[in-house]
Amino acid sequence: MNLEYSGDIARLYDLVHQGKGKDYRAEAEELAALVTQRRPGARSLLDVACGTGMHLRHLGDLFEEVAGVEVSPDMLAIAQRRNPEAGIHRGDMRDFALGRRFDAVICMFSSIGHMRDQRELDAAIGRFAAHLPSGGVVIVDPWWFPETFTPGYVGASLVEAEGRTIARFSHSALEDGATRIDVDYLVGVPGEGVRHLRETHRITLFGRAQYEAAFTAAGLSVEYLPHAATDRGLFVGVRA
């Protein structure tokens, strides 16, 4: 299981996804609205698997205090440079412990799908809940459900940014009940030529009931919002 984006791919991450039209600001505003609807006056938020800190960059304008947890050292370094006033820590969502609580904990970009089985899913959601006070809010962006996943899907994008031309191709296949995603990058730089980079991820196809069971086991209420923020929807829970 690859939990980390490293090296050159970590540095390409933002360029590719922003070039594909991802609107971090709009997502941050929607997340903030979902939190404050359930916890009026919420002032602190923790982003688990915060990546390069693009959501935090905008959430920092919407909450008094934001923090992050990230397992990849290369992405962590980018997030810290981007959000110098946020406390961003290296940690694994299955066992991190910051010794304090936040009004909200979020986990976006289907990062939760890197959990391998129900036990790990339960552990991660349990860690989220452990960092909340009573009435605190958890928001999780899931991966596709087994019935909504499209085996064999090929995605492609072309981005020109920062003097580079980046072509990204992804192929998703069904492998032992999970998604295997092979991603190839061609990166062209004038005067330097073209480089080929590749990464492979295995992302578990948890069912809706499995997410809901993990929320319940962690002492959280749970609702699924199918049209919130992303094409995959969001799970939202509140700690009793």
Side-chain angles (χ1 to χ4, degrees):
M1 176 177 58
N2 183 5
L3 287 175
E4 300 188 10
Y5 291 84
S6 60
D8 291 334
I9 290 175
R11 289 185 284 274
L12 294 174
Y13 188 87
D14 291 336
L15 299 179
V16 168
H17 288 288
Q18 289 182 86
K20 290 167 62 177
K22 188 170 180 64
D23 190 338
Y24 288 93
R25 178 72 193 185
E27 287 186 13
E29 290 174 350
E30 184 169 358
L31 292 168
L34 289 171
V35 169
T36 55
Q37 286 164 9
R38 291 156 181 80
R39 188 170 177 81
R43 58 171 299 275
S44 60
L45 178 142
L46 174 66
D47 185 356
V48 179
C50 67
T52 61
M54 284 295 290
H55 280 117
L56 285 176
R57 178 182 179 184
H58 301 291
L59 287 163
D61 296 331
L62 303 170
F63 292 89
E64 293 179 31
E65 179 187 6
V66 294
V69 171
E70 174 54 47
V71 70
S72 164
D74 292 316
M75 297 193 94
L76 175 70
I78 296 170
Q80 288 173 328
R81 289 196 298 270
R82 178 168 283 144
N83 302 278
E85 296 184 3
I88 303 179
H89 314 268
R90 189 171 187 204
D92 188 309
M93 71 173 75
R94 294 167 291 193
D95 58 15
F96 75 97
L98 301 185
R100 58 154 300 181
R101 297 182 178 185
F102 300 82
D103 291 311
V105 176
I106 66 170
C107 183
M108 298 297 292
F109 234 139
S110 299
S111 299
I112 196 72
H114 288 286
M115 301 299 96
R116 292 175 290 195
D117 51 31
Q118 188 72 47
R119 181 183 62 82
E120 290 194 354
L121 179 63
D122 290 350
I125 302 298
R127 285 288 80 208
F128 301 168
H131 287 78
L132 294 175
S134 176
V137 181
V138 168
I139 299 177
V140 172
D141 173 13
W143 182 235
W144 299 107
F145 302 145
E147 65 273 17
T148 58
F149 171 63
T150 304
Y153 178 80
V154 173
S157 62
L158 182 67
V159 177
E160 294 186 9
E162 297 185 359
R164 287 174 282 186
T165 300
I166 307 161
R168 178 186 185 272
F169 298 89
S170 65
H171 174 249
S172 300
L174 185 63
E175 183 177 271
D176 298 327
T179 303
R180 175 192 169 99
I181 303 181
D182 295 313
V183 185
D184 291 273
Y185 298 85
L186 293 175
V187 184
V189 180
E192 297 181 14
V194 178
R195 287 192 302 152
H196 176 210
L197 303 171
R198 168 170 264 219
E199 60 179 345
T200 297
H201 295 277
R202 180 181 172 85
I203 308 180
T204 305
L205 289 164
F206 293 112
R208 175 175 169 176
Q210 291 179 281
Y211 287 105
E212 292 172 342
F215 272 70
T216 300
L220 300 163
S221 66
V222 58
E223 57 183 317
Y224 175 59
L225 307 178
H227 304 296
T230 74
D231 292 339
R232 298 171 300 274
L234 296 173
F235 284 96
V236 182
V238 177
R239 184 173 179 179

mmCIF file of all heavy atoms in Angstrom, residues 3-50:
data_model
loop_
_atom_site.group_PDB
_atom_site.id
_atom_site.type_symbol
_atom_site.label_atom_id
_atom_site.label_comp_id
_atom_site.label_asym_id
_atom_site.label_seq_id
_atom_site.Cartn_x
_atom_site.Cartn_y
_atom_site.Cartn_z
ATOM 1 N N LEU A 3 1.098 4.922 0.806
ATOM 2 C CA LEU A 3 0.440 6.024 1.497
ATOM 3 C C LEU A 3 1.082 7.364 1.150
ATOM 4 O O LEU A 3 0.558 8.408 1.519
ATOM 5 C CB LEU A 3 0.517 5.819 3.020
ATOM 6 C CG LEU A 3 -0.368 4.726 3.622
ATOM 7 C CD1 LEU A 3 -0.061 4.595 5.102
ATOM 8 C CD2 LEU A 3 -1.829 5.022 3.415
ATOM 9 N N GLU A 4 2.235 7.324 0.500
ATOM 10 C CA GLU A 4 3.003 8.547 0.337
ATOM 11 C C GLU A 4 3.147 8.966 -1.125
ATOM 12 O O GLU A 4 3.303 8.131 -2.011
ATOM 13 C CB GLU A 4 4.411 8.361 0.932
ATOM 14 C CG GLU A 4 4.407 8.021 2.409
ATOM 15 C CD GLU A 4 5.804 8.044 2.983
ATOM 16 O OE1 GLU A 4 6.729 8.507 2.296
ATOM 17 O OE2 GLU A 4 5.974 7.604 4.136
ATOM 18 N N TYR A 5 3.084 10.276 -1.337
ATOM 19 C CA TYR A 5 3.527 10.871 -2.594
ATOM 20 C C TYR A 5 4.880 11.484 -2.289
ATOM 21 O O TYR A 5 5.026 12.241 -1.336
ATOM 22 C CB TYR A 5 2.568 11.963 -3.049
ATOM 23 C CG TYR A 5 1.207 11.482 -3.483
ATOM 24 C CD1 TYR A 5 0.204 11.261 -2.559
ATOM 25 C CD2 TYR A 5 0.927 11.273 -4.829
ATOM 26 C CE1 TYR A 5 -1.060 10.830 -2.956
ATOM 27 C CE2 TYR A 5 -0.328 10.856 -5.245
ATOM 28 C CZ TYR A 5 -1.308 10.634 -4.298
ATOM 29 O OH TYR A 5 -2.539 10.213 -4.705
ATOM 30 N N SER A 6 5.869 11.169 -3.106
ATOM 31 C CA SER A 6 7.210 11.618 -2.746
ATOM 32 C C SER A 6 7.906 12.279 -3.921
ATOM 33 O O SER A 6 7.485 12.174 -5.073
ATOM 34 C CB SER A 6 8.050 10.427 -2.247
ATOM 35 O OG SER A 6 8.157 9.442 -3.256
ATOM 36 N N GLY A 7 9.003 12.970 -3.598
ATOM 37 C CA GLY A 7 9.902 13.521 -4.592
ATOM 38 C C GLY A 7 9.229 14.402 -5.622
ATOM 39 O O GLY A 7 8.423 15.279 -5.304
ATOM 40 N N ASP A 8 9.563 14.155 -6.885
ATOM 41 C CA ASP A 8 9.070 14.989 -7.975
ATOM 42 C C ASP A 8 7.557 14.931 -8.107
ATOM 43 O O ASP A 8 6.917 15.924 -8.467
ATOM 44 C CB ASP A 8 9.718 14.551 -9.291
ATOM 45 C CG ASP A 8 11.202 14.883 -9.349
ATOM 46 O OD1 ASP A 8 11.607 15.838 -8.657
ATOM 47 O OD2 ASP A 8 11.938 14.191 -10.061
ATOM 48 N N ILE A 9 6.956 13.772 -7.835
ATOM 49 C CA ILE A 9 5.507 13.651 -7.965
ATOM 50 C C ILE A 9 4.805 14.531 -6.947
ATOM 51 O O ILE A 9 3.783 15.150 -7.242
ATOM 52 C CB ILE A 9 5.074 12.177 -7.849
ATOM 53 C CG1 ILE A 9 5.536 11.419 -9.103
ATOM 54 C CG2 ILE A 9 3.567 12.055 -7.685
ATOM 55 C CD1 ILE A 9 5.277 9.925 -9.077
ATOM 56 N N ALA A 10 5.339 14.623 -5.748
ATOM 57 C CA ALA A 10 4.754 15.525 -4.749
ATOM 58 C C ALA A 10 4.764 16.965 -5.247
ATOM 59 O O ALA A 10 3.805 17.711 -5.039
ATOM 60 C CB ALA A 10 5.523 15.416 -3.429
ATOM 61 N N ARG A 11 5.822 17.355 -5.932
ATOM 62 C CA ARG A 11 5.918 18.723 -6.429
ATOM 63 C C ARG A 11 4.997 18.971 -7.627
ATOM 64 O O ARG A 11 4.563 20.094 -7.873
ATOM 65 C CB ARG A 11 7.373 19.038 -6.782
ATOM 66 C CG ARG A 11 8.265 19.171 -5.545
ATOM 67 C CD ARG A 11 9.673 19.596 -5.905
ATOM 68 N NE ARG A 11 10.445 18.496 -6.463
ATOM 69 C CZ ARG A 11 11.115 17.611 -5.715
ATOM 70 N NH1 ARG A 11 11.064 17.679 -4.402
ATOM 71 N NH2 ARG A 11 11.818 16.644 -6.291
ATOM 72 N N LEU A 12 4.684 17.921 -8.375
ATOM 73 C CA LEU A 12 3.783 18.056 -9.517
ATOM 74 C C LEU A 12 2.312 18.051 -9.112
ATOM 75 O O LEU A 12 1.451 18.483 -9.883
ATOM 76 C CB LEU A 12 4.017 16.901 -10.508
ATOM 77 C CG LEU A 12 5.354 16.847 -11.230
ATOM 78 C CD1 LEU A 12 5.448 15.558 -12.033
ATOM 79 C CD2 LEU A 12 5.515 18.058 -12.133
ATOM 80 N N TYR A 13 2.036 17.545 -7.946
ATOM 81 C CA TYR A 13 0.677 17.276 -7.492
ATOM 82 C C TYR A 13 -0.251 18.480 -7.657
ATOM 83 O O TYR A 13 -1.319 18.394 -8.271
ATOM 84 C CB TYR A 13 0.747 16.848 -6.026
ATOM 85 C CG TYR A 13 -0.525 16.344 -5.416
ATOM 86 C CD1 TYR A 13 -0.872 15.005 -5.526
ATOM 87 C CD2 TYR A 13 -1.352 17.190 -4.690
ATOM 88 C CE1 TYR A 13 -2.033 14.525 -4.929
ATOM 89 C CE2 TYR A 13 -2.508 16.715 -4.109
ATOM 90 C CZ TYR A 13 -2.843 15.382 -4.223
ATOM 91 O OH TYR A 13 -3.986 14.923 -3.637
ATOM 92 N N ASP A 14 0.145 19.620 -7.128
ATOM 93 C CA ASP A 14 -0.703 20.815 -7.192
ATOM 94 C C ASP A 14 -0.903 21.288 -8.620
ATOM 95 O O ASP A 14 -2.011 21.663 -9.021
ATOM 96 C CB ASP A 14 -0.089 21.961 -6.374
ATOM 97 C CG ASP A 14 -0.112 21.698 -4.889
ATOM 98 O OD1 ASP A 14 -0.971 20.906 -4.448
ATOM 99 O OD2 ASP A 14 0.718 22.272 -4.180
ATOM 100 N N LEU A 15 0.180 21.289 -9.392
ATOM 101 C CA LEU A 15 0.081 21.776 -10.765
ATOM 102 C C LEU A 15 -0.914 20.950 -11.560
ATOM 103 O O LEU A 15 -1.740 21.494 -12.306
ATOM 104 C CB LEU A 15 1.456 21.729 -11.435
ATOM 105 C CG LEU A 15 2.566 22.573 -10.808
ATOM 106 C CD1 LEU A 15 3.859 22.392 -11.593
ATOM 107 C CD2 LEU A 15 2.169 24.047 -10.763
ATOM 108 N N VAL A 16 -0.879 19.645 -11.380
ATOM 109 C CA VAL A 16 -1.764 18.762 -12.140
ATOM 110 C C VAL A 16 -3.214 18.970 -11.742
ATOM 111 O O VAL A 16 -4.099 19.155 -12.592
ATOM 112 C CB VAL A 16 -1.342 17.292 -11.941
ATOM 113 C CG1 VAL A 16 -2.421 16.353 -12.482
ATOM 114 C CG2 VAL A 16 -0.015 17.025 -12.633
ATOM 115 N N HIS A 17 -3.489 18.961 -10.452
ATOM 116 C CA HIS A 17 -4.885 19.007 -10.017
ATOM 117 C C HIS A 17 -5.507 20.392 -10.200
ATOM 118 O O HIS A 17 -6.686 20.507 -10.547
ATOM 119 C CB HIS A 17 -5.011 18.521 -8.575
ATOM 120 C CG HIS A 17 -4.806 17.038 -8.468
ATOM 121 N ND1 HIS A 17 -5.728 16.130 -8.926
ATOM 122 C CD2 HIS A 17 -3.764 16.306 -8.001
ATOM 123 C CE1 HIS A 17 -5.286 14.906 -8.721
ATOM 124 N NE2 HIS A 17 -4.096 14.987 -8.165
ATOM 125 N N GLN A 18 -4.734 21.437 -10.004
ATOM 126 C CA GLN A 18 -5.281 22.761 -10.297
ATOM 127 C C GLN A 18 -5.482 22.942 -11.792
ATOM 128 O O GLN A 18 -6.460 23.564 -12.219
ATOM 129 C CB GLN A 18 -4.339 23.836 -9.732
ATOM 130 C CG GLN A 18 -4.368 23.891 -8.213
ATOM 131 C CD GLN A 18 -3.480 24.995 -7.677
ATOM 132 O OE1 GLN A 18 -3.885 26.144 -7.557
ATOM 133 N NE2 GLN A 18 -2.244 24.643 -7.357
ATOM 134 N N GLY A 19 -4.586 22.364 -12.587
ATOM 135 C CA GLY A 19 -4.746 22.435 -14.028
ATOM 136 C C GLY A 19 -5.977 21.705 -14.502
ATOM 137 O O GLY A 19 -6.564 22.040 -15.543
ATOM 138 N N LYS A 20 -6.401 20.678 -13.743
ATOM 139 C CA LYS A 20 -7.615 19.929 -14.075
ATOM 140 C C LYS A 20 -8.871 20.655 -13.593
ATOM 141 O O LYS A 20 -9.990 20.178 -13.818
ATOM 142 C CB LYS A 20 -7.552 18.538 -13.447
ATOM 143 C CG LYS A 20 -6.517 17.624 -14.081
ATOM 144 C CD LYS A 20 -6.269 16.383 -13.242
ATOM 145 C CE LYS A 20 -7.514 15.536 -13.084
ATOM 146 N NZ LYS A 20 -7.233 14.292 -12.324
ATOM 147 N N GLY A 21 -8.698 21.798 -12.921
ATOM 148 C CA GLY A 21 -9.840 22.593 -12.512
ATOM 149 C C GLY A 21 -10.283 22.411 -11.075
ATOM 150 O O GLY A 21 -11.355 22.894 -10.689
ATOM 151 N N LYS A 22 -9.498 21.751 -10.252
ATOM 152 C CA LYS A 22 -9.886 21.576 -8.852
ATOM 153 C C LYS A 22 -9.901 22.930 -8.156
ATOM 154 O O LYS A 22 -8.923 23.659 -8.181
ATOM 155 C CB LYS A 22 -8.935 20.625 -8.127
ATOM 156 C CG LYS A 22 -9.405 20.265 -6.715
ATOM 157 C CD LYS A 22 -8.575 19.153 -6.141
ATOM 158 C CE LYS A 22 -9.022 18.766 -4.737
ATOM 159 N NZ LYS A 22 -10.399 18.206 -4.720
ATOM 160 N N ASP A 23 -11.030 23.257 -7.512
ATOM 161 C CA ASP A 23 -11.216 24.554 -6.865
ATOM 162 C C ASP A 23 -11.134 24.370 -5.354
ATOM 163 O O ASP A 23 -12.131 24.111 -4.684
ATOM 164 C CB ASP A 23 -12.573 25.139 -7.268
ATOM 165 C CG ASP A 23 -12.739 26.587 -6.832
ATOM 166 O OD1 ASP A 23 -12.032 27.018 -5.896
ATOM 167 O OD2 ASP A 23 -13.593 27.283 -7.415
ATOM 168 N N TYR A 24 -9.930 24.513 -4.807
ATOM 169 C CA TYR A 24 -9.721 24.308 -3.387
ATOM 170 C C TYR A 24 -10.475 25.338 -2.551
ATOM 171 O O TYR A 24 -10.967 25.024 -1.460
ATOM 172 C CB TYR A 24 -8.233 24.359 -3.056
ATOM 173 C CG TYR A 24 -7.445 23.159 -3.521
ATOM 174 C CD1 TYR A 24 -6.793 23.150 -4.752
ATOM 175 C CD2 TYR A 24 -7.329 22.021 -2.726
ATOM 176 C CE1 TYR A 24 -6.061 22.053 -5.176
ATOM 177 C CE2 TYR A 24 -6.591 20.923 -3.136
ATOM 178 C CZ TYR A 24 -5.967 20.944 -4.371
ATOM 179 O OH TYR A 24 -5.249 19.844 -4.789
ATOM 180 N N ARG A 25 -10.549 26.560 -3.038
ATOM 181 C CA ARG A 25 -11.240 27.601 -2.286
ATOM 182 C C ARG A 25 -12.724 27.272 -2.131
ATOM 183 O O ARG A 25 -13.282 27.362 -1.028
ATOM 184 C CB ARG A 25 -11.084 28.956 -2.986
ATOM 185 C CG ARG A 25 -11.818 30.104 -2.281
ATOM 186 C CD ARG A 25 -11.138 30.497 -0.992
ATOM 187 N NE ARG A 25 -11.969 31.358 -0.151
ATOM 188 C CZ ARG A 25 -11.564 31.913 0.980
ATOM 189 N NH1 ARG A 25 -10.334 31.700 1.403
ATOM 190 N NH2 ARG A 25 -12.359 32.671 1.694
ATOM 191 N N ALA A 26 -13.373 26.877 -3.215
ATOM 192 C CA ALA A 26 -14.791 26.544 -3.159
ATOM 193 C C ALA A 26 -15.029 25.347 -2.241
ATOM 194 O O ALA A 26 -15.997 25.331 -1.461
ATOM 195 C CB ALA A 26 -15.325 26.259 -4.553
ATOM 196 N N GLU A 27 -14.156 24.341 -2.313
ATOM 197 C CA GLU A 27 -14.306 23.184 -1.433
ATOM 198 C C GLU A 27 -14.130 23.589 0.027
ATOM 199 O O GLU A 27 -14.862 23.125 0.902
ATOM 200 C CB GLU A 27 -13.309 22.092 -1.814
ATOM 201 C CG GLU A 27 -13.654 21.378 -3.106
ATOM 202 C CD GLU A 27 -12.746 20.202 -3.392
ATOM 203 O OE1 GLU A 27 -11.997 19.757 -2.483
ATOM 204 O OE2 GLU A 27 -12.762 19.710 -4.536
ATOM 205 N N ALA A 28 -13.142 24.450 0.307
ATOM 206 C CA ALA A 28 -12.920 24.904 1.677
ATOM 207 C C ALA A 28 -14.141 25.634 2.220
ATOM 208 O O ALA A 28 -14.543 25.438 3.377
ATOM 209 C CB ALA A 28 -11.686 25.801 1.742
ATOM 210 N N GLU A 29 -14.751 26.466 1.403
ATOM 211 C CA GLU A 29 -15.937 27.197 1.842
ATOM 212 C C GLU A 29 -17.099 26.248 2.116
ATOM 213 O O GLU A 29 -17.858 26.423 3.092
ATOM 214 C CB GLU A 29 -16.320 28.236 0.798
ATOM 215 C CG GLU A 29 -15.328 29.397 0.719
ATOM 216 C CD GLU A 29 -15.629 30.363 -0.408
ATOM 217 O OE1 GLU A 29 -16.498 30.037 -1.264
ATOM 218 O OE2 GLU A 29 -14.998 31.438 -0.442
ATOM 219 N N GLU A 30 -17.242 25.219 1.282
ATOM 220 C CA GLU A 30 -18.318 24.242 1.509
ATOM 221 C C GLU A 30 -18.057 23.440 2.780
ATOM 222 O O GLU A 30 -18.979 23.182 3.566
ATOM 223 C CB GLU A 30 -18.450 23.312 0.306
ATOM 224 C CG GLU A 30 -19.606 22.337 0.443
ATOM 225 C CD GLU A 30 -19.925 21.595 -0.840
ATOM 226 O OE1 GLU A 30 -19.274 21.863 -1.872
ATOM 227 O OE2 GLU A 30 -20.835 20.745 -0.799
ATOM 228 N N LEU A 31 -16.818 23.053 2.996
ATOM 229 C CA LEU A 31 -16.473 22.324 4.214
ATOM 230 C C LEU A 31 -16.750 23.172 5.458
ATOM 231 O O LEU A 31 -17.307 22.678 6.452
ATOM 232 C CB LEU A 31 -15.006 21.909 4.181
ATOM 233 C CG LEU A 31 -14.632 20.854 3.140
ATOM 234 C CD1 LEU A 31 -13.118 20.753 3.011
ATOM 235 C CD2 LEU A 31 -15.226 19.507 3.494
ATOM 236 N N ALA A 32 -16.351 24.434 5.410
ATOM 237 C CA ALA A 32 -16.580 25.327 6.552
ATOM 238 C C ALA A 32 -18.072 25.475 6.840
ATOM 239 O O ALA A 32 -18.495 25.485 8.006
ATOM 240 C CB ALA A 32 -15.949 26.686 6.289
ATOM 241 N N ALA A 33 -18.878 25.554 5.794
ATOM 242 C CA ALA A 33 -20.322 25.673 5.978
ATOM 243 C C ALA A 33 -20.890 24.416 6.614
ATOM 244 O O ALA A 33 -21.742 24.488 7.521
ATOM 245 C CB ALA A 33 -21.000 25.952 4.641
ATOM 246 N N LEU A 34 -20.438 23.243 6.177
ATOM 247 C CA LEU A 34 -20.921 21.991 6.760
ATOM 248 C C LEU A 34 -20.556 21.890 8.237
ATOM 249 O O LEU A 34 -21.342 21.402 9.053
ATOM 250 C CB LEU A 34 -20.339 20.803 5.990
ATOM 251 C CG LEU A 34 -20.877 20.587 4.572
ATOM 252 C CD1 LEU A 34 -20.047 19.526 3.850
ATOM 253 C CD2 LEU A 34 -22.340 20.194 4.594
ATOM 254 N N VAL A 35 -19.357 22.354 8.578
ATOM 255 C CA VAL A 35 -18.928 22.322 9.977
ATOM 256 C C VAL A 35 -19.768 23.270 10.830
ATOM 257 O O VAL A 35 -20.320 22.882 11.868
ATOM 258 C CB VAL A 35 -17.431 22.679 10.101
ATOM 259 C CG1 VAL A 35 -17.047 22.904 11.567
ATOM 260 C CG2 VAL A 35 -16.570 21.573 9.490
ATOM 261 N N THR A 36 -19.882 24.516 10.401
ATOM 262 C CA THR A 36 -20.554 25.517 11.241
ATOM 263 C C THR A 36 -22.060 25.290 11.324
ATOM 264 O O THR A 36 -22.691 25.712 12.299
ATOM 265 C CB THR A 36 -20.258 26.938 10.740
ATOM 266 O OG1 THR A 36 -20.626 27.050 9.359
ATOM 267 C CG2 THR A 36 -18.772 27.255 10.885
ATOM 268 N N GLN A 37 -22.647 24.618 10.323
ATOM 269 C CA GLN A 37 -24.061 24.262 10.438
ATOM 270 C C GLN A 37 -24.294 23.305 11.601
ATOM 271 O O GLN A 37 -25.342 23.339 12.242
ATOM 272 C CB GLN A 37 -24.544 23.608 9.140
ATOM 273 C CG GLN A 37 -24.737 24.573 7.976
ATOM 274 C CD GLN A 37 -24.836 23.851 6.641
ATOM 275 O OE1 GLN A 37 -24.925 22.615 6.580
ATOM 276 N NE2 GLN A 37 -24.813 24.605 5.555
ATOM 277 N N ARG A 38 -23.307 22.451 11.874
ATOM 278 C CA ARG A 38 -23.437 21.445 12.919
ATOM 279 C C ARG A 38 -22.785 21.866 14.227
ATOM 280 O O ARG A 38 -23.147 21.347 15.279
ATOM 281 C CB ARG A 38 -22.833 20.124 12.423
ATOM 282 C CG ARG A 38 -23.666 19.499 11.311
ATOM 283 C CD ARG A 38 -22.869 18.570 10.410
ATOM 284 N NE ARG A 38 -23.737 18.028 9.361
ATOM 285 C CZ ARG A 38 -24.078 18.690 8.254
ATOM 286 N NH1 ARG A 38 -23.600 19.915 8.049
ATOM 287 N NH2 ARG A 38 -24.887 18.140 7.365
ATOM 288 N N ARG A 39 -21.828 22.767 14.147
ATOM 289 C CA ARG A 39 -21.157 23.271 15.352
ATOM 290 C C ARG A 39 -20.949 24.779 15.205
ATOM 291 O O ARG A 39 -19.864 25.245 14.842
ATOM 292 C CB ARG A 39 -19.818 22.560 15.563
ATOM 293 C CG ARG A 39 -19.169 22.900 16.909
ATOM 294 C CD ARG A 39 -17.976 21.999 17.181
ATOM 295 N NE ARG A 39 -17.297 22.332 18.424
ATOM 296 C CZ ARG A 39 -17.670 21.962 19.640
ATOM 297 N NH1 ARG A 39 -18.769 21.229 19.794
ATOM 298 N NH2 ARG A 39 -16.969 22.310 20.699
ATOM 299 N N PRO A 40 -22.001 25.561 15.466
ATOM 300 C CA PRO A 40 -21.876 27.022 15.358
ATOM 301 C C PRO A 40 -20.738 27.543 16.243
ATOM 302 O O PRO A 40 -20.546 27.076 17.367
ATOM 303 C CB PRO A 40 -23.232 27.514 15.851
ATOM 304 C CG PRO A 40 -24.168 26.378 15.593
ATOM 305 C CD PRO A 40 -23.359 25.139 15.847
ATOM 306 N N GLY A 41 -19.986 28.454 15.703
ATOM 307 C CA GLY A 41 -18.873 29.015 16.457
ATOM 308 C C GLY A 41 -17.609 28.189 16.404
ATOM 309 O O GLY A 41 -16.629 28.509 17.101
ATOM 310 N N ALA A 42 -17.584 27.140 15.588
ATOM 311 C CA ALA A 42 -16.373 26.325 15.465
ATOM 312 C C ALA A 42 -15.180 27.210 15.105
ATOM 313 O O ALA A 42 -15.265 28.035 14.203
ATOM 314 C CB ALA A 42 -16.576 25.252 14.406
ATOM 315 N N ARG A 43 -14.075 27.009 15.796
ATOM 316 C CA ARG A 43 -12.913 27.868 15.568
ATOM 317 C C ARG A 43 -11.650 27.114 15.162
ATOM 318 O O ARG A 43 -10.708 27.709 14.660
ATOM 319 C CB ARG A 43 -12.614 28.707 16.820
ATOM 320 C CG ARG A 43 -12.347 27.909 18.086
ATOM 321 C CD ARG A 43 -11.859 28.793 19.225
ATOM 322 N NE ARG A 43 -10.604 29.449 18.897
ATOM 323 C CZ ARG A 43 -9.400 28.886 19.074
ATOM 324 N NH1 ARG A 43 -9.296 27.653 19.545
ATOM 325 N NH2 ARG A 43 -8.317 29.559 18.772
ATOM 326 N N SER A 44 -11.617 25.791 15.357
ATOM 327 C CA SER A 44 -10.394 25.049 15.047
ATOM 328 C C SER A 44 -10.706 23.851 14.168
ATOM 329 O O SER A 44 -11.755 23.214 14.287
ATOM 330 C CB SER A 44 -9.702 24.583 16.336
ATOM 331 O OG SER A 44 -10.552 23.736 17.089
ATOM 332 N N LEU A 45 -9.767 23.535 13.273
ATOM 333 C CA LEU A 45 -9.963 22.436 12.324
ATOM 334 C C LEU A 45 -8.648 21.725 12.071
ATOM 335 O O LEU A 45 -7.602 22.361 11.922
ATOM 336 C CB LEU A 45 -10.527 22.979 11.008
ATOM 337 C CG LEU A 45 -10.744 21.965 9.884
ATOM 338 C CD1 LEU A 45 -12.029 22.270 9.104
ATOM 339 C CD2 LEU A 45 -9.538 21.953 8.917
ATOM 340 N N LEU A 46 -8.724 20.393 12.012
ATOM 341 C CA LEU A 46 -7.570 19.551 11.696
ATOM 342 C C LEU A 46 -7.826 18.846 10.372
ATOM 343 O O LEU A 46 -8.856 18.204 10.186
ATOM 344 C CB LEU A 46 -7.371 18.503 12.796
ATOM 345 C CG LEU A 46 -6.280 17.455 12.546
ATOM 346 C CD1 LEU A 46 -4.897 18.105 12.531
ATOM 347 C CD2 LEU A 46 -6.349 16.341 13.602
ATOM 348 N N ASP A 47 -6.874 18.957 9.443
ATOM 349 C CA ASP A 47 -6.951 18.288 8.144
ATOM 350 C C ASP A 47 -6.000 17.096 8.172
ATOM 351 O O ASP A 47 -4.781 17.265 8.200
ATOM 352 C CB ASP A 47 -6.560 19.276 7.039
ATOM 353 C CG ASP A 47 -6.737 18.705 5.634
ATOM 354 O OD1 ASP A 47 -7.094 17.520 5.515
ATOM 355 O OD2 ASP A 47 -6.517 19.461 4.675
ATOM 356 N N VAL A 48 -6.572 15.884 8.166
ATOM 357 C CA VAL A 48 -5.772 14.660 8.197
ATOM 358 C C VAL A 48 -5.501 14.224 6.765
ATOM 359 O O VAL A 48 -6.401 14.207 5.934
ATOM 360 C CB VAL A 48 -6.494 13.551 8.980
ATOM 361 C CG1 VAL A 48 -5.659 12.272 8.981
ATOM 362 C CG2 VAL A 48 -6.778 14.000 10.412
ATOM 363 N N ALA A 49 -4.255 13.835 6.490
ATOM 364 C CA ALA A 49 -3.798 13.581 5.121
ATOM 365 C C ALA A 49 -3.939 14.874 4.318
ATOM 366 O O ALA A 49 -4.542 14.918 3.258
ATOM 367 C CB ALA A 49 -4.554 12.436 4.461
ATOM 368 N N CYS A 50 -3.333 15.923 4.859
ATOM 369 C CA CYS A 50 -3.514 17.276 4.302
ATOM 370 C C CYS A 50 -2.741 17.494 3.016
ATOM 371 O O CYS A 50 -2.893 18.536 2.372
ATOM 372 C CB CYS A 50 -3.130 18.330 5.332
ATOM 373 S SG CYS A 50 -1.370 18.390 5.760
#
